[in-house]
Amino acid sequence: DEYPVDHVTEEHREVIAEMCSKVQNPNMPNLPSVPPHPEVPDTAGPQVTAGGDAVGDQEGEEQASPEEERWDLRHVYSAGEIRARAAACMGLDGKCDSVACSRYVSTLDEDYVWDTCVDCQEIDYGGWPEDEYPVDHVTEEHREVIAEMCSKVQNPNMPNLPS
């Protein structure tokens, strides 16, 4: 009943079956295919930031309480990481089959992460943050890889960063 991981992806199951067993349909760990995930965060207002700034930086805006959970963009997967399928998108209740391009982290628990593709990022977070990113540029090649592997729409929304 105890495993050092909380999920085993379908891709992982396939690799285990192909590379780690000589029998057809080997017994697999009794774990879900996607990690347990938080409720979809509220995307209204400036709640999603890259640097963990308090909600409502403008004078007169409401400040976030220490207990209020926000999701900060902490990592934009590199073109190489995306090509290697470093992380699967966790959106659509784990049913999205795109590769993640971004990792968000809960402000309440640094170990609580949410990997997302461009399309689910639009749904869950309202798109890319407006101004704060954990990287300072995104090359044209990187943009092409994000568009090709992390989205199902033509001309997806891209980060507002120089090339």
Side-chain angles (χ1 to χ4, degrees):
D1 281 340
E2 300 221 5
Y3 293 97
V5 296
D6 62 3
H7 72 286
V8 177
T9 66
E10 290 305 315
E11 179 183 17
H12 194 176
R13 291 174 199 276
E14 290 170 13
V15 170
I16 290 171
E18 180 182 330
M19 307 294 288
C20 303
S21 178
K22 293 182 181 181
V23 299
Q24 192 171 9
N25 298 322
N27 189 18
M28 290 289 165
N30 186 22
L31 290 170
S33 295
V34 295
H37 60 277
E39 293 180 22
V40 174
D42 180 7
T43 59
Q47 296 206 0
V48 177
T49 67
D53 295 342
V55 172
D57 290 336
Q58 303 293 329
E59 187 174 313
E61 288 187 28
E62 185 177 323
Q63 296 295 313
S65 67
E67 301 82 30
E68 184 177 337
E69 184 172 43
R70 292 186 328 264
W71 291 85
D72 296 338
L73 176 61
R74 294 285 178 85
H75 184 68
V76 175
Y77 286 98
S78 69
E81 288 172 315
I82 293 169
R83 281 191 200 100
R85 300 182 173 273
C89 178
M90 299 165 72
L92 302 177
D93 291 327
K95 293 181 177 77
C96 182
D97 60 357
S98 291
V99 177
C101 62
S102 304
R103 171 168 280 186
Y104 286 80
V105 176
S106 168
T107 56
L108 297 181
D109 183 350
E110 291 285 319
D111 294 329
Y112 217 14
V113 299
W114 190 259
D115 292 317
T116 185
C117 69
V118 173
D119 302 339
C120 292
Q121 183 170 261
E122 287 288 331
I123 295 166
D124 295 342
Y125 301 100
W128 295 94
E130 290 185 29
D131 55 3
E132 290 191 41
Y133 292 89
V135 295
D136 60 1
H137 72 282
V138 177
T139 66
E140 286 305 316
E141 176 194 14
H142 194 175
R143 291 174 198 274
E144 290 170 10
V145 171
I146 289 172
E148 179 184 324
M149 297 186 70
C150 305
S151 179
K152 292 186 176 21
V153 300
Q154 197 167 19
N155 299 318
N157 186 18
M158 287 290 158
N160 186 22
L161 289 168
S163 298

